Amino acid sequence: GAVVSQHPSWVICKSGTSVKIECRSLDFQATTMFWYRQFPKQSLMLMATSNEGSKATYEQGVEKDKFLINHASLTLSTLTVTSAHPEDSSFYICSARDQGQEEGNTIYFGEGSWLTVV
Amino acid sequence: QKEVEQDPGPLSVPEGAIVSLNCTYSNSAFQYFMWYRQYSRKGPELLMYTYSSGNKEDGRFTAQVDKSSKYISLFIRDSQPSDSATYLCAMKKWGFGNEKLTFGTGTRLTIIP
């Protein structure tokens, strides 16, 4: 099946610094990628929809200036957490839609990235 | 009211039992229904997807959708310890541009050897 790769899997950063997480579709093209946040024992919370070549669409309550999303190519989207604070510590997961397939069964998830801000 | 409701569990069953996981939803615009399995500290893995109402079987897994009742189910037969995970239902509207998935809260399942 299709593979979505996230990097890094684990990252620890200091408060006030920025950290970038990459999401790559390895064997398909993805015009649309999604970024989620997941707290322990909770479901996935959609943060934003990343659109190749255009601005991301953010969900209500998500700070655009804090969570910068760039989707520069059909296989890569990045999430940058700027001026990170301990409350930003979370599990961040991306997903991507295989645009070459029919609807429904074509959204694949990455393995997730654990961010700890100290 | 949440668009998708799912019992968070936890649910513990003995090995070999049949497991039934369920979600209800309120938005009749949902047309695609998916079940994801998520192991601890990992991303979700797509198990099953169904378009509109009906049943779909894949090995030990069966997904059912009843749109008239706005109710979906996932059955796991001959459950194994490796099935222990969190199961998330997800739904999507039809049409290009309606890419967003709406998730249930997930049910934590433990299969006891």
Side-chain angles (χ1 to χ4, degrees):
Chain A
V3 177
V4 175
S5 173
Q6 265 185 257
H7 178 80
S9 300
W10 300 81
V11 58
I12 300 174
C13 70
K14 292 183 178 180
S15 288
T17 63
S18 296
V19 60
K20 181 186 288 187
I21 301 170
E22 293 186 347
C23 179
R24 295 181 183 273
S25 56
L26 296 186
D27 55 0
F28 64 94
Q29 293 184 329
T31 53
T32 305
M33 292 185 175
F34 305 88
W35 287 97
Y36 294 84
R37 185 173 180 177
Q38 188 176 34
F39 292 103
K41 300 183 180 181
Q42 294 189 27
S43 190
L44 285 75
M45 182 191 78
L46 180 65
M47 299 174 65
T49 301
S50 172
N51 304 298
E52 187 266 337
S54 64
K55 292 182 179 180
T57 304
Y58 289 82
E59 295 298 302
Q60 190 174 8
V62 178
E63 298 177 61
K64 300 178 182 181
D65 295 332
K66 180 163 189 63
F67 298 100
L68 300 179
I69 291 172
N70 183 274
H71 194 153
S73 78
L74 287 172
T75 59
L76 174 64
S77 175
T78 60
L79 168 68
T80 301
V81 183
T82 63
S83 187
H85 291 282
E87 56 266 31
D88 298 326
S89 299
S90 189
F91 189 45
Y92 292 88
I93 310 172
C94 72
S95 69
R97 180 179 182 275
D98 184 347
Q99 66 181 60
Q101 300 293 325
E102 65 175 303
E103 291 193 73
N105 63 335
T106 59
I107 298 176
Y108 303 99
F109 282 82
E111 285 291 284
S113 299
W114 284 94
L115 170 63
T116 301
V117 184
V118 298
Chain B
Q1 181 188 7
K2 293 181 181 177
E3 280 191 296
V4 180
E5 298 279 357
Q6 183 177 6
D7 187 339
L11 177 63
S12 296
V13 300
E15 183 176 356
I18 296 175
V19 176
S20 173
L21 303 168
N22 311 294
C23 288
T24 60
Y25 63 96
S26 58
N27 193 335
S28 58
F30 289 132
Q31 296 282 352
Y32 293 92
F33 304 91
M34 287 143 279
W35 286 95
Y36 287 86
R37 176 175 63 195
Q38 186 176 24
Y39 291 112
S40 181
R41 298 174 177 263
K42 296 289 186 181
E45 170 194 10
L46 179 65
L47 281 177
M48 302 283 287
Y49 95 99
T50 309
Y51 171 67
S52 195
S53 285
N55 295 355
K56 189 170 186 177
E57 186 174 321
D58 183 1
R60 297 184 295 111
F61 298 92
T62 300
Q64 290 185 350
V65 174
D66 182 349
K67 291 192 68 180
S68 62
S69 302
K70 296 189 177 67
Y71 187 88
I72 70 170
S73 300
L74 176 71
F75 297 96
I76 307 174
R77 291 183 298 280
D78 187 24
S79 55
Q80 305 294 313
S82 58
D83 295 329
S84 298
T86 295
Y87 289 79
L88 298 147
C89 65
M91 306 177 188
K92 190 171 83 73
K93 300 174 187 177
W94 181 85
F96 185 79
N98 287 319
E99 309 287 0
K100 188 167 67 172
L101 293 179
T102 301
F103 282 92
T105 53
T107 300
R108 294 181 64 198
L109 172 67
T110 301
I111 306 300
I112 304 167

